[in-house]
């Protein structure tokens, strides 16, 4: 073992404590371990060999050699060794690495830091809990007020209801008697309209009961909103022209042609709003506009009716609430409307000026025919779906696999076109993601071959190219979609979901 | 032929699971007990990639903090990439990770990195919402979920980071 140069001894002197034995490594300017001394194994360094590359034996020195100025790296623990303060001292182009035991200091600091960190996490959890408690308490309070209001209104309901049921029933009964001997068309119509009124009434009460007990589930399907508008026109045009009101039902150009939504409930919402608007408007105009903004269906129903007083506005959405006794019904229409809108992930607002008119506006969250981004849907629908990924760049491959698995898909991996063909034929995946540039056989040939052999599942082309020609070539080869790399994950997942549906 | 050596740093607030991820990866073990890391603990691991390339990883498990301390700056020297770890059940650790990433980039330049949403087994306590994640992914970040407890996503994260570091050469 060589002797330690004087400058190093001097340096060490400043740090020397009698109970410590100096451990050192001397590394020359080529990064070769020239000599070592002391007890490197205490610090997790075993089998050191001189005249060999230092970094290979002591990987943690990566990036630190050669030292250009004296530097201390504190509290380093290698493997299960003791903790050291490591001093790097430059010496003739090379480096002296000195290791000082810092285990005692480490343990002391650790105890302190541990307490601080644990306390901090505890405080955090406590704050969160308190916040949650507060929200729950607030919710309970509003629920309570709400329930009290309903209870109060329900008493009123009983009397209203009996009145409401009695009048048309009486009418039905007497006209029915008349029907026994005459067959006057007006009598028949009267019976029919009273019976319909009763039916609507009872439907509303049933809906409200179900909404209150959370028993309504949405039946989501395809809906053409323009067709819906046409239907509404057929329903309301006679009523409007009878009262000489202008009826304007419109869709903006942004509105998609297909919406994924519970059409029955959407129709119910719009019918309720239009019905009210026409009912409370003596002259002027009733209009409905459907629009599409940020994946939401926006609706707005405006009338030039008598308006609603500010006091009444506050209570307008409460169930069983009626403003005047002259009003028909039991005051459920708007309550149901609001609850349905909220069930569909939306909101409804009302604005009104006395004697000028009222506007009900809001939105419901729906999807266009091209988007499904309901996460719960995704989890169910992606189960047992096999996606074949043909991609040669390893990191892109692994990343896509990880994301696809995270979304619940089973992934089959191919790294070139030939592997892709073999896997596609043996496993029959529901979806194929095909990189266009791959070794051995590229994505164009692989796709063409698969289509020639009657492979039916959608193939999504992944390509770094943005050229129209490349896109066309991919589609001509038989790809169903073309995505440019780097692929936006959300878009890819959406396309897969739409294709598999 | 010498196997290529790559230094990886574990970055993130305290108690997000940095130490646990390393010990799951290196020793296939996990402990529920929390032991604060002081300074840095270094492990090495030989990794064989899916394409049979090999690399030796020097894993630097650095004491957690929501900001870069002067000590951790010297620990970063020579790092070829890093894992930014977030405790999915503590939202502030997400914000800390994004800030740390900026600080690390200032210190050692842009390096391959992966943001790990750890503790994915504790979904009922989850505080990092999906919108936040997709938004960050749209900016080009790689974000994966992991659970050091269940061993889920751990190997994938280290492998992907290694691939990225090798490809960055
Ligand atoms: N449930 C769960 N706990 C974890 C996970 N990873 C770490 N922990 C726990 O979180 C605490 C902090 O972990 P640790 O690795 O010391 O965090 P570090 O400070 O970032 O190194 C410990 O109690 C671990 O047991 C995980 O994936 N799931
Ligand atoms: Mg730790």
């Amino acid at each position: 073992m060589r002797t330690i140069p004087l400058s190093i001894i001097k340096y060490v002197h400043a740090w020397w404590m009698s109970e410590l034995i100096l451990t050192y490594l001397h590394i020359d300017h080529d990064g070769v371990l020239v000599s070592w001394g002391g007890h490197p194994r205490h610090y997790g360094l075993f089998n050191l060999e001189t005249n060999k590359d230092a970094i290979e034996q002591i990987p943690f020195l990566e990036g630190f050699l050669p030292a250009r100025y004296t530097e201390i790296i504190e509290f380093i623990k290698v493997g299960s060794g003791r903790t050291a303060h490591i001093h790097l001292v430059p010496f003739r182009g090379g480096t002296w690495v000195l290791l000082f035991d810092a285990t005692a200091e480490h343990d002391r600091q650790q105890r302190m830091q541990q307490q601080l960190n644990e306390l901090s996490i505890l405080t955090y959890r406590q704050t969160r809990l308190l916040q949650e408690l507060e929200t729950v308490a607030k919710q309970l309070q509003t629920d309570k007020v709400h329930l009290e209001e309903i209870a109060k209104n329900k008493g009123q309901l009983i009397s209203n209801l009996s009145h409401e049921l009695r009048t048309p029933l009486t009418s039905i009964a007497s006209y029915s008697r008349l029907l026994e001997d005459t067959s006057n068309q007006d009598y028949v119509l009267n019976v029919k309209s009273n019976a319909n009124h009763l039916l609507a009434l009872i439907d509303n009460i049933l809906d409200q009961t179900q909404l209150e007990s959370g028993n309504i589930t949405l039946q989501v399907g395809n809906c053409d909103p323009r067709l819906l508008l046409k239907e509404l026109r057929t329903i309301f045009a006679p009523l409007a022209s009878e009262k000489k009101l202008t009826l304007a039902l419109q869709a903006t150009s942004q509105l998609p042609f297909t919406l994924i939504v519970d059409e029955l409930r959407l129709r119910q919402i719009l019918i309720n709003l239009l019905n009210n608007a026409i009912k409370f408007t003596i002259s002027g105009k009733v209009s409905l506009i459907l629009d599409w903004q940020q994946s939401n269906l926006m609706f707005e129903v405006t009338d030039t009716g008598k308006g609603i007083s500010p006091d009444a506005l506050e209570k307008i959405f409460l169930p069983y609430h009626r403003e005047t006794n002259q009003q028909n019904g039991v005051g459920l229409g708007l309550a149901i409307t609001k609850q349905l809108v909220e069930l569909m992930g939306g909101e409804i607002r009302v604005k009104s000026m006395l004697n000028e008119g009222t506007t009900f506006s809001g939105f419901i969250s729906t999807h266009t025919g091209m988007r499904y981004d309901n996460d719960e849907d995704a989890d169910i629908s992606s189960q047992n779906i096999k996606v074949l990924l043909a991609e040669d760049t390893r990191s892109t491959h692994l990343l896509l696999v990880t994301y696809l698995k995270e979304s619940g898909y089973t992934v089959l991996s191919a790294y070139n076109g030939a592997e892709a063909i073999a896997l596609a034929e043996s496993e029959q995946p529901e979806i194929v993601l095909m990189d266009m540039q791959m070794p051995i056989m590229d994505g164009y040939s692989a796709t063409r071959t698969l289509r020639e052999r009657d492979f039916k599942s959608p193939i999504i082309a992944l390509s770094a190219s943005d050229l129209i020609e490349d896109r066309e070539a991919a589609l001509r080869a038989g790809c169903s979609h073309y995505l440019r790399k780097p692929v936006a994950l959300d878009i890819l997942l959406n396309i897969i979901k739409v294709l598999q549906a | 032929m010498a196997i290529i050596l790559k230094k990886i740093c574990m970055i993130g607030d305290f108690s997000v699971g940095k130490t646990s991820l390393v010990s799951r990866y290196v020793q296939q073990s996990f402990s529920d007990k929390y032991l604060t890391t002081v300074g840095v603990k270094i492990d090495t691991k030989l990794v064989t990639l899916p394409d049979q390339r090999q690399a030796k990883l020097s894993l630097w498990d650095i004491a957690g903090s929501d900001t870069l301390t002067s000590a951790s700056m010297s620990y970063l020297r020579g790092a070829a990439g890093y894992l930014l770890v977030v405790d999915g059940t503590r939202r502030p650790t997400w914000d800390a990770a994004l800030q740390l990433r900026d600080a690390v980039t200032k210190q050692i330049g842009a390096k391959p990195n992966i943001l790990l949403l750890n503790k994915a087994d504790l979904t009922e306590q989850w505080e990092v919402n999906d919108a936040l994640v997709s938004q960050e992914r749209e900016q080009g970040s790689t974000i994966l979920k992991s659970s050091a407890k269940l061993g889920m996503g751990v190997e994938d994260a280290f492998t992907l980071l290694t691939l990225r570091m090798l490809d960055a050469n």
Side-chain angles (χ1 to χ4, degrees):
Chain A
M1 202 163 67
R2 298 214 204 153
T3 48
I4 305 173
L6 190 62
S7 59
I8 299 300
I9 297 277
K10 273 188 184 158
Y11 180 83
V12 169
H13 200 73
W15 292 92
W16 195 255
M17 282 169 262
S18 58
E19 70 267 37
L20 291 179
I21 299 162
L22 178 64
T23 297
Y24 68 87
L25 313 161
H26 176 199
I27 297 157
D28 72 9
H29 56 275
D30 293 324
V32 172
L33 179 62
V34 179
S35 66
W36 57 268
H39 302 281
R41 70 180 59 189
H42 281 181
Y43 303 108
L45 303 173
F46 297 95
N47 308 323
L48 294 180
E49 288 185 58
T50 51
N51 298 321
K52 291 211 168 144
D53 187 73
I55 299 272
E56 263 182 49
Q57 306 185 65
I58 314 151
F60 71 78
L61 289 175
E62 166 81 4
F64 289 95
L65 294 182
R68 295 192 199 292
Y69 47 88
T70 299
E71 189 178 3
I72 305 169
I73 327 172
E74 291 188 318
F75 297 117
I76 290 210
K77 181 180 165 78
V78 177
S80 51
R82 297 171 72 78
T83 303
H85 289 326
I86 295 184
H87 295 223
L88 300 159
V89 188
F91 181 73
R92 291 190 189 149
T95 311
W96 277 74
V97 181
L98 314 175
L99 294 98
F100 296 91
D101 192 307
T103 309
E105 171 68 1
H106 172 272
D107 292 353
R108 201 181 61 77
Q109 285 210 14
Q110 187 180 45
R111 276 194 298 277
M112 231 166 59
Q113 197 63 46
Q114 176 101 23
Q115 278 176 2
L116 283 175
N117 290 0
E118 276 173 0
L119 188 70
S120 151
I121 291 178
L122 215 68
T123 317
Y124 180 73
R125 295 266 176 252
Q126 219 166 40
T127 319
R128 292 311 301 240
L129 269 175
L130 282 176
Q131 276 170 0
E132 266 168 48
L133 271 178
E134 220 165 281
T135 348
V136 171
K138 265 201 200 118
Q139 186 60 44
L140 282 175
Q141 184 58 32
T142 41
D143 284 358
K144 181 169 163 256
V145 172
H146 188 69
L147 284 175
E148 281 169 357
E149 190 78 31
I150 290 179
K152 204 174 85 200
N153 286 334
K154 261 191 181 152
Q156 189 66 44
L157 166 78
I158 310 281
S159 63
N160 289 346
L161 193 61
S162 54
H163 172 77
E164 285 288 328
L165 287 173
R166 207 123 134 273
T167 321
L169 273 175
T170 319
S171 173
I172 289 174
S174 47
Y175 279 107
S176 303
R177 225 174 298 123
L178 287 173
L179 269 179
E180 282 170 4
D181 33 58
T182 64
S183 60
N184 186 321
Q185 207 54 30
D186 280 349
Y187 298 167
V188 181
L189 277 179
N190 200 303
V191 171
K192 207 171 126 194
S193 105
N194 277 302
N196 283 343
H197 178 67
L198 267 180
L199 268 179
L201 202 72
I202 285 161
D203 281 351
N204 266 356
I205 291 169
L206 282 176
D207 272 352
Q208 176 60 25
T209 333
Q210 281 182 322
L211 278 167
E212 271 175 25
S213 58
N215 271 339
I216 285 196
T217 49
L218 296 174
Q219 307 288 325
V220 179
N222 285 338
C223 160
D224 177 347
R226 288 177 180 78
L227 209 62
L228 178 60
L229 283 181
K230 228 166 130 184
E231 253 182 73
L232 291 173
R233 193 169 294 117
T234 323
I235 299 174
F236 288 108
L239 266 175
S241 73
E242 201 174 282
K243 299 182 80 174
K244 300 204 168 48
L245 300 175
T246 314
L247 180 67
L249 308 180
Q250 292 170 307
T252 64
S253 55
Q254 281 94 282
L255 191 67
F257 290 96
T258 310
L259 298 174
I260 312 273
V261 70
D262 185 332
E263 185 172 3
L264 217 70
R265 296 304 177 185
L266 174 58
R267 185 188 292 122
Q268 190 178 357
I269 290 169
L270 298 176
I271 286 182
N272 277 347
L273 293 175
L274 285 169
N275 212 3
N276 270 357
I278 293 179
K279 188 154 63 179
F280 296 114
T281 304
I282 296 159
S283 67
K285 180 175 174 183
V286 167
S287 64
L288 161 67
I289 298 178
L290 293 183
D291 189 13
W292 177 259
Q293 280 171 31
Q294 295 161 342
S295 300
N296 288 325
L297 173 69
M298 321 292 293
F299 58 84
E300 188 174 290
V301 174
T302 307
D303 66 48
T304 54
K306 60 178 189 158
I308 306 164
S309 73
D311 278 356
L313 267 186
E314 275 179 27
K315 297 182 177 164
I316 197 150
F317 291 117
L318 287 177
Y320 310 115
H321 168 79
R322 292 208 311 182
E323 212 28 56
T324 61
N325 278 327
Q326 297 94 299
Q327 217 170 299
N328 284 326
V330 282
L332 280 177
L334 283 175
I336 290 171
T337 303
K338 178 173 158 70
Q339 291 171 87
L340 284 177
V341 166
E342 284 168 0
L343 193 65
M344 296 168 97
E347 280 172 21
I348 183 168
R349 288 173 302 275
V350 56
K351 251 184 4 215
S352 186
M353 287 276 273
L354 270 178
N355 302 322
E356 287 192 12
T358 305
T359 299
F360 284 90
S361 62
F363 69 90
I364 61 175
S365 111
T366 117
H367 311 290
T368 67
M370 270 304 287
R371 278 180 66 93
Y372 291 70
D373 42 20
N374 187 323
D375 276 345
E376 277 162 44
D377 273 6
D379 285 350
I380 300 159
S381 59
S382 56
Q383 266 165 22
N384 304 323
I385 300 277
K386 277 185 281 188
V387 176
L388 167 59
L389 172 65
E391 163 69 68
D392 64 312
T393 313
R394 304 278 162 168
S395 54
T396 313
H397 192 108
L398 183 59
L399 181 64
L400 285 173
V401 169
T402 315
Y403 282 161
L404 287 167
K405 280 191 185 155
E406 198 179 280
S407 307
Y409 294 99
T410 306
V411 185
L412 310 164
S413 285
Y415 294 90
N416 60 56
E419 285 178 15
I421 293 176
L423 270 173
E425 296 199 311
S426 64
E427 300 289 331
Q428 292 296 324
E430 279 81 359
I431 307 269
V432 177
L433 303 180
M434 183 80 80
D435 180 19
M436 289 291 113
Q437 293 81 29
M438 286 187 292
I440 304 176
M441 181 194 274
D442 68 14
Y444 298 103
S445 320
T447 305
R448 221 173 289 118
T449 310
L450 279 172
R451 292 306 187 208
E452 276 162 15
R453 299 188 190 168
D454 226 25
F455 180 77
K456 292 276 194 315
S457 299
I459 300 178
I460 303 176
L462 308 177
S463 169
S465 161
D466 205 14
L467 296 177
I468 295 279
E469 298 91 85
D470 288 333
R471 175 183 296 264
E472 283 176 353
L475 297 180
R476 238 184 310 153
C479 292
S480 338
H481 272 270
Y482 185 92
L483 285 182
R484 207 169 80 82
K485 293 201 278 190
V487 180
L489 181 71
D490 294 8
I491 295 181
L492 178 65
L493 289 179
N494 270 330
I495 289 184
I496 293 181
K497 269 176 227 157
V498 170
L499 286 178
Q500 102 203 11
Chain B
M1 185 199 77
I3 292 175
I4 187 157
L5 174 71
K6 291 288 173 191
K7 170 170 171 180
I8 293 180
C9 289
M10 307 294 293
I11 312 280
D13 212 338
F14 67 85
S15 195
V16 294
K18 299 179 295 299
T19 304
S20 305
L21 286 162
V22 171
S23 68
R24 165 62 71 192
Y25 185 52
V26 177
Q27 279 116 29
Q28 283 82 42
S29 65
F30 176 82
S31 157
D32 268 317
K33 195 169 155 2
Y34 171 50
L35 196 61
T36 304
T37 309
V38 167
V40 57
K41 184 166 178 314
I42 299 162
D43 281 288
T44 44
K45 162 112 178 166
L46 191 65
V47 53
T48 305
L49 296 173
D51 54 11
Q52 301 309 315
R53 276 184 295 175
Q54 286 198 315
K56 185 151 119 187
L57 303 181
S58 176
L59 302 168
W60 287 54
D61 173 25
I62 299 174
S65 166
D66 55 357
T67 53
L68 269 195
T69 60
S70 58
S72 44
M73 288 197 201
S74 66
Y75 298 147
L76 287 171
R77 189 108 50 83
Y82 55 96
L83 286 179
L84 272 173
V85 187
V86 171
D87 177 348
T89 70
R90 284 185 295 150
R91 168 63 207 265
T93 66
W94 164 273
D95 304 307
L98 297 187
Q99 273 173 21
L100 281 166
R101 186 173 57 190
D102 291 344
V104 170
T105 308
K106 258 199 204 111
Q107 191 66 20
I108 60 169
K111 299 280 178 208
N113 63 80
I114 292 176
L115 203 154
L116 267 190
L117 295 175
N118 192 40
K119 309 200 184 176
D121 51 294
L122 299 176
T123 36
E124 75 284 1
Q125 292 177 39
W126 208 249
E127 289 185 4
V128 177
N129 70 32
D130 287 350
L132 220 58
V133 175
S134 353
Q135 198 187 335
E136 194 53 40
R137 275 179 176 162
E138 264 162 40
Q139 309 287 313
S141 304
T142 302
I143 303 176
L144 302 177
K145 283 189 182 167
S146 69
S147 164
K149 183 166 183 162
L150 308 179
M152 187 200 90
V154 180
E155 186 104 22
D156 278 353
F158 281 102
T159 309
L160 182 58
L161 183 60
T162 309
L163 276 167
R164 293 254 174 99
M165 292 187 304
L166 293 183
D167 292 347
N169 283 348

